[in-house]
């Protein structure tokens, strides 16, 4: 039996979850807080706060561009974690999962990384380039600190699906198709759906589907088969669409457009 | 002797598989196919047959009498990988992996390239074995290595220009991995150096060890003893690993030579072991160049084949265990060594190889005349003519 973590405490439901992804500091830390508030208002259940990285192997061009903008604005893993209390102060109540590549974690040091997460009140962590076989120490530390270590499972995980799913914490991230992150429509095939079904059979936590979900139709389809939907690149593009307005000082207009876009996506 | 890598793909503290989950399946499939192939004498025989009949192996071991005399001190020998078909050691590995790809039933290969030598080798084996080939190359390298880009296209490969980052090898590798993630079911990723996730560092080493195995045999034949010191340049480190590996249990002193670019005390260098720190790059835990936040930084070298911010994990292990001594040579020192070899021996080496030459030339004079040096001349300088013309035009 899992002990109840603050993640679970804050999660108000375990199905029909909406899990958006934003890059911390894209285009500024202040705007990240505003976008997070808008996402919460549009029904987000968990926030994935992405840490920009110079060499993101699992990401497509949209998230790479966002990472570059955030790095240029001086964002780092430490600063992204320290953004969590700022999100709280401004009214973000949903669980926050720090999404980061492994090398920045390694440079901070495992122990210090988890101390920072705990101190700043982040509820989860997701490291896309730290597969099950390499993550033993990190998983143990996460467990010790009561922080959810989110695992990923892919359509070609094959015999690994059972092992990964059984050890899942928080929610289980189901990569819908082979490939990097990015907007794609209509790629949810019968194979994807049977894969999701298999994952759900083994998972003790909600199963959420991500990678390529970019339209209201995709969202509806995922909702029929999984417990949650994860949306990244499409959200980043909505942020990108408002960049000019933000630069011109029309933040409110950019945020209104963003809210409308999100509403259309997850209605 | 402890066998590296271990079952988890580690060389001591280094190596492993730090990749997105989507690649774990393909890597396990590759590992199983590799283990099976390396145990299959028919596969090994075919590999050596192609090396002999097509690549032109064994390559010569040349005694560099003029340069030995010029420098005084140790006798200097060159292992002539520049005489390998396509002009560098890269082809040995490309042949091995292409044969493995075919054995696995994969008809499409992807590769990344910096200087273009690995791209040319990949395009060559693709033509030879009837495979489709896509080569990822940074746009800055495409500019620097125009001739090799043309060679790849002539061989029927598609060259994909990568504009992210500085448009060099690091960025081409990221893009190749991202493409592989999306297309791993029917594509074989032909990595060009002893880098990347397990089992790549081991596989590339094992396909390149032919350099060291041949050298050992040839050296014993002419000198009746093994060399006292062996030098090889190190970017990702495949020519060095291929040369060093068969000598690890012997007494020969092994020297890996990195690119110090404009100097290791400037920000413009590619001296990963001399100046880097441990971290994860392209799926492997190794030494790399990074900032305090763990963001990977851009390396610099005059040689497009050496400006890679990481290094093979086995080199990181050999560095940590002190079995290999690593030194760094500047652009200028490499160019001086290149010119000296060219004028005294009539051999124009690749700028990569000139780094190994420069370090050996620095040390040869302090050694005695009964000592011997072996330098791995990893490739020829044809591809570097544009760069060399910029530097030497007025002198010649």
């Amino acid at each position: 039996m899992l002990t109840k973590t603050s993640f679970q405490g804050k999660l108000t439901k375990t199905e029909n979850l909406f899990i958006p992804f934003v890059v911390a500091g894209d285009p500024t830390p202040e705007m990240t807080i505003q976008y997070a508030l808008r996402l919460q208002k549009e029904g987000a259940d968990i926030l994935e706060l992405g840490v920009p990285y110079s060499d993101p192997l699992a990401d497509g061009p949209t998230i790479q561009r966002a990472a570059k903008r955030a790095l240029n604005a001086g964002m780092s893993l430490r600063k992204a974690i320290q953004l969590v209390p700022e999100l709280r102060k401004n009214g973000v109540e949903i669980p926050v999962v720090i999404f980061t590549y492994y090398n920045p974690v390694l440079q901070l040091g495992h122990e210090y990384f988890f101390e920072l997460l705990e101190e700043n009140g982040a509820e989860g962590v997701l490291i896309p380039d730290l597969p099950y076989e390499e993550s033993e120490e990190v998983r143990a530390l996460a467990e010790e600190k009561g922080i959810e270590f989110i695992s990923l499972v892919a359509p070609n995980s094959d015999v690994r699906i059972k092992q990964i799913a059984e050890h899942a914490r928080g929610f289980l991230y189901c990569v819908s198709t082979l490939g990097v992150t990015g907007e794609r429509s209509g790629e949810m095939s019968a194979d994807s759906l049977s894969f999701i079904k298999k994952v759900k059979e083994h998972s003790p936590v909600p199963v959420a589907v991500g990678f390529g979900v970019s339209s209201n139709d995709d969202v509806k389809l995922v909702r029929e088969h999984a417990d949650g939907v994860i949306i990244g690149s499409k959200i980043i593009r909505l942020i990108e669409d408002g960049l000019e307005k933000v630069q011109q000082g029309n933040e409110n207009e950019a945020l209104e457009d963003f809210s409308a876009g999100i509403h259309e996506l997850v209605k | 002797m402890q066998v590296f890598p271990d079952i988890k793909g580690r060389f001591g503290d280094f190596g492993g598989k730090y990749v997105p989950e989507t690649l774990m399946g393909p890597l396990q499939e590759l590992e199983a196919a590799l283990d099976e192939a390396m145990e299959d004498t028919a596969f090994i025989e075919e590999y050596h047959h192609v090396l002999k009949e097509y690549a032109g192996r064994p390559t010569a071991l040349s005694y560099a009498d003029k340069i030995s005399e010029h420098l005084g001190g140790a006798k200097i020998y060159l292992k002539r990988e520049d005489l390998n078909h396509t002009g560098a050691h890269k082809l040995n590995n490309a042949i091995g992996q292409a044969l493995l790809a075919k054995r696995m039933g994969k008809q499409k290969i992807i590769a990344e390239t910096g200087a273009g030598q690995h791209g040319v080798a990949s395009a060559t084996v693709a033509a030879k074995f009837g495979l489709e080939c896509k080569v990822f190359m940074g746009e800055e390298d495409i500019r620097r290595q125009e001739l090799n880009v043309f060679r790849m296209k002539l061989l029927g490969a598609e060259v994909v220009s990568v504009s992210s980052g500085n448009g060099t090898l690091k960025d081409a590798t990221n893009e190749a991995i991202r493409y592989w993630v999306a297309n791993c079911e029917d594509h074989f990723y032909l990595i060009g150096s002893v880098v990347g996730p397990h089992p790549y560092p081991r596989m590339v080493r094992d396909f390149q060890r032919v350099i060291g195995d041949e050298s050992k045999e040839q050296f014993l034949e002419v000198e009746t003893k093994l060399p006292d010191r062996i030098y090889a340049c190190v970017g990702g480190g495949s020519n060095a690993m291929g040369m060093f590996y068969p000598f690890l249990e012997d007494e020969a002193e092994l020297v890996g030579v990195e690119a110090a670019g404009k100097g290791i005390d400037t920000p413009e260098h590619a001296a990963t072991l001399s100046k880097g720190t441990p971290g994860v790059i392209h799926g492997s835990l190794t030494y790399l160049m990074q900032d305090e936040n763990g963001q990977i930084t851009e390396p610099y070298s005059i040689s497009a084949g050496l400006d890679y911010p990481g290094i093979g994990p086995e080199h990181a292990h050999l560095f940590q265990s002190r079995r290999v001594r690593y030194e760094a040579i500047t652009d200028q020192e490499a160019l001086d060594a290149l010119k000296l070899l060219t004028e005294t021996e009539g051999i124009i080496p690749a700028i990569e190889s000139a780094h190994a030459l420069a370090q050996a030339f620095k040390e040869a004079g302090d050694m005695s005349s009964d000592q011997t040096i072996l330098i791995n001349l990893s490739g020829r300088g044809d591809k570097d003519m544009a760069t060399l013309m910029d530097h030497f035009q007025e002198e010649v």
Side-chain angles (χ1 to χ4, degrees):
Chain A
M1 194 62 196
L2 301 176
T3 49
K4 191 163 172 145
T5 62
S6 58
F7 181 97
Q8 291 162 307
K10 282 184 181 167
L11 206 55
T12 52
K13 58 188 199 286
T14 54
E15 55 189 19
N16 201 16
L17 300 171
F18 166 38
I19 308 173
F21 168 93
V22 292
V23 174
D26 171 33
T28 63
E30 295 72 30
M31 284 307 287
T32 300
I33 295 168
Q34 296 307 317
Y35 286 125
L37 282 166
R38 295 290 175 135
L39 287 163
Q40 179 172 266
K41 206 172 159 197
E42 293 299 329
D45 298 289
I46 299 164
L47 179 70
E48 270 188 29
L49 187 61
V51 177
Y53 186 52
S54 57
D55 297 76
L57 293 186
D59 287 310
T62 309
I63 292 178
Q64 285 182 56
R65 283 197 302 273
K68 204 167 180 183
R69 287 193 292 270
L71 285 174
N72 289 343
M75 187 48 64
S76 66
L77 174 55
R78 186 198 303 252
K79 285 182 186 167
I81 298 171
Q82 287 165 345
L83 196 58
V84 178
E86 297 300 315
L87 288 166
R88 301 286 180 233
K89 253 187 255 167
N90 285 277
V92 175
E93 290 166 351
I94 55 177
V96 176
V97 171
I98 298 289
F99 180 116
T100 175
Y101 284 86
Y102 184 49
N103 194 46
V105 174
L106 201 57
Q107 302 316 312
L108 275 185
H110 291 165
E111 297 266 356
Y112 182 50
F113 172 63
F114 279 99
E115 273 168 30
L116 273 181
L117 291 175
E118 193 182 30
E119 264 171 33
N120 289 283
E123 286 88 0
V125 61
L126 194 160
I127 309 176
D129 59 345
L130 196 66
Y132 185 80
E133 287 81 348
E134 304 286 1
S135 63
E136 199 176 333
E137 188 187 337
V138 172
R139 273 186 282 128
L141 275 168
E143 194 92 43
E144 193 186 307
K145 297 279 187 192
I147 288 165
E148 305 289 23
F149 181 79
I150 313 295
S151 302
L152 289 101
V153 63
N156 60 350
S157 294
D158 199 24
V159 293
R160 299 158 52 78
I161 289 178
K162 188 167 179 273
Q163 181 189 42
I164 296 170
E166 282 174 351
H167 289 88
R169 295 285 183 273
F171 67 92
L172 181 55
Y173 195 131
C174 229
V175 176
S176 64
T177 54
L178 300 180
V180 293
T181 57
E183 295 171 56
R184 285 180 287 265
S185 259
E187 282 197 19
M188 296 286 288
S189 61
D191 281 355
S192 315
L193 301 177
S194 74
F195 156 64
I196 294 167
K197 198 173 161 215
K198 185 173 175 190
V199 174
K200 272 178 71 84
E201 277 167 21
H202 296 290
S203 178
V205 293
V207 171
V209 171
F211 277 48
V213 181
S214 50
S215 70
N216 182 247
D217 286 346
D218 295 339
V219 170
K220 283 180 177 154
L221 185 63
V222 170
R223 277 181 178 155
E224 280 173 30
H225 300 277
D227 306 312
V229 58
I230 305 161
I231 309 176
S233 295
K234 175 69 184 180
I235 289 173
I236 302 291
R237 208 163 58 78
L238 290 172
I239 291 173
E240 230 169 36
D241 289 346
L243 279 180
E244 212 169 300
K245 285 180 179 158
V246 173
Q247 277 157 5
Q248 290 164 349
N250 297 328
E251 282 96 347
N252 277 335
E253 213 179 310
L255 287 166
E256 286 304 314
D257 292 349
F258 179 76
S259 288
I262 298 296
H263 189 78
E264 191 60 29
L265 189 61
V266 298
K267 66 185 175 189
Chain B
M1 180 194 180
Q2 204 175 345
V3 177
F4 292 113
D6 65 17
I7 195 159
K8 291 183 84 177
R10 297 209 170 252
F11 303 88
D13 293 340
F14 304 100
K17 280 181 194 158
Y18 297 89
V19 293
E21 174 60 27
T22 311
L23 290 182
M24 290 304 281
L27 286 173
Q28 285 173 341
E29 182 197 4
L30 174 64
E31 204 175 336
L34 178 68
D35 285 345
E36 198 190 272
M38 294 310 243
E39 292 294 316
D40 181 355
T41 46
F43 177 81
I44 302 293
E45 273 170 23
E46 188 183 6
Y47 163 68
H48 284 286
H49 177 78
V50 179
L51 286 182
K52 180 168 178 273
E53 302 288 326
Y54 182 71
R57 302 203 71 90
T59 56
L61 177 77
S62 304
Y63 173 48
D65 57 335
K66 297 277 176 33
I67 207 113
S68 301
E69 202 177 303
H70 174 85
L71 295 169
K75 287 170 80 176
I76 297 176
Y77 286 86
L78 305 171
K79 177 60 175 167
R80 302 288 306 280
E81 289 304 296
D82 59 318
L83 299 178
N84 210 16
H85 175 46
T86 73
H89 69 289
K90 294 288 185 186
L91 190 68
N92 307 326
N93 167 53
I95 288 172
Q97 289 196 47
L99 289 173
L100 187 62
K102 270 181 76 105
R103 187 182 164 99
M104 292 171 73
K106 312 254 181 189
Q107 290 299 314
K108 297 173 183 173
I109 58 171
I110 52 170
E112 83 300 315
T113 197
Q117 287 305 98
H118 174 60
V120 168
S122 300
T124 299
V125 293
K128 167 80 177 159
F129 298 116
L131 305 166
E132 242 177 70
C133 178
K134 209 185 272 288
V135 181
F136 293 84
M137 191 167 182
E139 62 180 12
E140 171 61 17
D141 286 338
I142 287 180
R143 191 189 61 76
R144 292 196 286 191
Q145 300 291 338
E146 205 182 349
L147 188 63
N148 270 342
V149 173
F150 179 70
R151 288 166 82 191
M152 285 180 253
K153 289 181 178 168
L154 194 62
L155 286 158
E158 182 192 344
V159 179
V160 183
S161 173
V162 176
S163 59
S164 55
N166 270 14
T168 59
L169 180 57
K170 167 177 93 95
D171 313 299
T173 307
N174 287 335
E175 213 48 53
I177 294 176
R178 290 186 196 114
Y179 185 86
W180 192 36
V181 171
N183 297 281
C184 53
E185 281 181 326
D186 58 348
H187 282 65
F188 185 99
Y189 181 18
L190 208 166
I191 294 186
S193 195
V194 285
V195 300
H198 177 66
Y200 279 98
R202 171 192 134 204
M203 173 166 67
V204 177
R205 174 196 76 193
D206 290 347
F207 286 137
Q208 289 292 5
R209 67 170 290 169
V210 63
I211 303 170
D213 284 335
E214 273 176 21
S215 296
K216 211 167 183 176
E217 201 175 306
Q218 290 167 321
F219 213 91
L220 282 171
E221 198 174 309
V222 293
E223 283 284 337
T224 66
K225 60 170 188 174
L226 293 179
D228 292 292
R229 277 185 209 168
I230 305 176
Y231 297 81
C233 64
V234 182
S238 71
N239 89 84
M241 225 34 255
M243 172 59 99
F244 293 165
Y245 187 63
F247 289 94
L248 286 179
E249 294 295 289
D250 300 311
E251 280 182 13
E253 187 182 0
L254 306 174
V255 186
V257 186
E258 303 189 303
K262 293 182 179 169
I264 54 171
D265 296 323
T266 74
E268 290 180 276
H269 63 78
T272 314
L273 289 173
S274 307
K275 300 295 278 191
T277 48
V280 167
I281 183 170
H282 299 144
S284 185
L285 179 60
T286 184
Y287 271 71
L288 60 106
M289 290 165 56
Q290 55 187 326
D291 67 15
E292 68 280 9
N293 293 315
Q295 306 289 343
I296 295 166
T297 53
E298 297 286 346
Y300 163 81
S301 164
I302 189 174
S303 165
L306 296 183
D307 65 355
Y308 181 66
I311 191 164
E314 190 160 15
H315 282 292
H317 171 64
L318 293 169
F319 171 70
Q320 199 179 56
S321 63
R322 296 173 187 260
R323 174 61 189 96
V324 178
R325 167 162 65 94
Y326 292 88
E327 305 283 354
I329 282 292
T330 64
D331 289 351
Q332 192 56 52
E333 289 172 315
L335 288 171
D336 291 346
L338 182 144
K339 195 144 186 293
L340 184 61
L341 187 80
T342 302
E343 288 174 351
T344 52
E345 296 289 346
I347 298 169
I348 307 177
I351 303 178
E352 288 90 331
S353 316
H355 286 72
L357 293 166
Q359 187 64 35
F361 294 173
K362 265 189 189 177
E363 298 179 14
D366 295 332
M367 294 168 71
S368 64
S369 58
D370 61 347
Q371 288 186 297
T372 52
I373 276 176
L374 172 62
I375 306 167
N376 195 22
L377 201 74
S378 58
R380 57 181 174 242
D382 300 30
K383 70 180 170 60
D384 294 321
M385 281 307 140
T387 311
L388 297 177
M389 279 171 75
D390 284 347
H391 283 268
F392 294 122
Q393 190 76 293
E394 285 171 18
E395 292 177 42
V396 295

